[in-house]
Amino acid sequence: YSPTINGTRAALDDLERTLSMAIAPDGETVLLGTRWALRRYDRNGTLVAQQRLASSAQQVNFSGDGAWVVAALSDGTIRWIEGRGQFIQDAHGRPVRMAGVVVDVTQRKVAEEALRISEERMNLAVESAQLAVWEWDALNNRVWTTEEGRRFFGFGPDEPLHYSSLGGRVHPDDSALREAAIQQALATGGSYEA
């Protein structure tokens, strides 16, 4: 099967057949998944990018913003593909061709998803235990804390946090011990407990 895009037959290799198709959210791009490639066409049916595959592209789709392509391959894997390009125009400003790159970013997307899940689990554990977790960016003198940390230390939701403002909320009897422990951790690169 070789589809027609706005009256232009999609250019495919000999014996290549289309297995799946998706239209970008803006309607400007058509993606074809074939037995051995992903092929991206502009709205006039001109091939603008392609990525060879080791397996057939059984299903293809665009992300909601059109920046990513997701392909389910016949070997059972899911591949995330990012394409970037730029139209080259003639002297009258009309696009005549497109130059670009296509990159398989699956490993990055898998890592991002693993990080998202890890953060979600950590947030659930912190919220469930009602922990006051905080982090100090010593280079920029900024402090981040959980909502429970803001409540614990008495900060409003939009109040800026700095090391000195956090230290000002520590009981005076504990202040010297806390400061010594932090300075020791900074000097040795270790952790701190107070």
Side-chain angles (χ1 to χ4, degrees):
Y1 170 68
S2 180
T4 301
I5 303 168
N6 281 337
T8 302
R9 181 163 300 286
L12 298 175
D13 293 340
D14 290 340
L15 304 176
E16 186 177 19
R17 298 292 174 257
T18 300
L19 303 174
S20 53
M21 181 176 84
I23 299 172
D26 64 4
E28 295 293 314
T29 305
V30 175
L31 179 70
L32 300 182
T34 74
R35 290 185 179 164
W36 54 76
L38 290 175
R39 294 179 177 268
R40 194 171 187 150
Y41 299 84
D42 67 15
R43 64 184 166 152
N44 298 317
T46 303
L47 180 67
V48 293
Q50 65 181 340
Q51 173 72 42
R52 295 288 178 183
L53 302 170
S55 299
S56 301
Q58 299 296 315
Q59 295 292 323
V60 295
N61 207 346
F62 285 93
S63 61
D65 62 2
W68 304 91
V69 169
V70 182
L73 305 184
S74 60
D75 65 3
T77 61
I78 303 288
R79 308 306 294 180
W80 288 84
I81 310 295
E82 179 182 30
R84 295 181 187 203
Q86 181 177 1
F87 281 103
I88 298 167
Q89 301 173 339
D90 65 13
H92 303 287
R94 294 181 299 233
V96 292
R97 68 176 185 253
M98 183 176 190
V101 296
V102 179
V103 181
D104 185 333
V105 293
T106 302
Q107 289 181 332
R108 184 173 92 201
K109 292 298 280 182
V110 168
E112 287 172 357
E113 179 65 6
L115 178 60
R116 186 194 65 75
I117 290 170
S118 176
E119 287 176 346
E120 190 175 278
R121 287 178 181 153
M122 178 62 129
N123 288 337
L124 182 59
V126 166
E127 288 174 18
S128 297
Q130 296 181 323
L131 296 175
V133 177
W134 64 276
E135 178 181 33
W136 173 38
D137 173 358
L139 292 176
N140 297 303
N141 192 26
R142 282 188 233 142
V143 174
W144 168 89
T145 186
T146 58
E147 287 181 33
E148 185 64 26
R150 284 185 172 275
R151 282 192 293 275
F152 180 82
F153 289 110
F155 290 104
D158 297 323
E159 194 172 345
L161 300 176
H162 303 285
Y163 179 75
S164 59
S165 61
L166 188 64
R169 305 292 171 103
V170 175
H171 190 278
D173 293 346
D174 298 329
S175 185
L177 179 64
R178 175 186 167 272
E179 186 62 28
I182 289 174
Q183 292 306 317
Q184 176 68 23
L186 284 171
T188 63
S191 61
Y192 116 93
E193 289 185 36

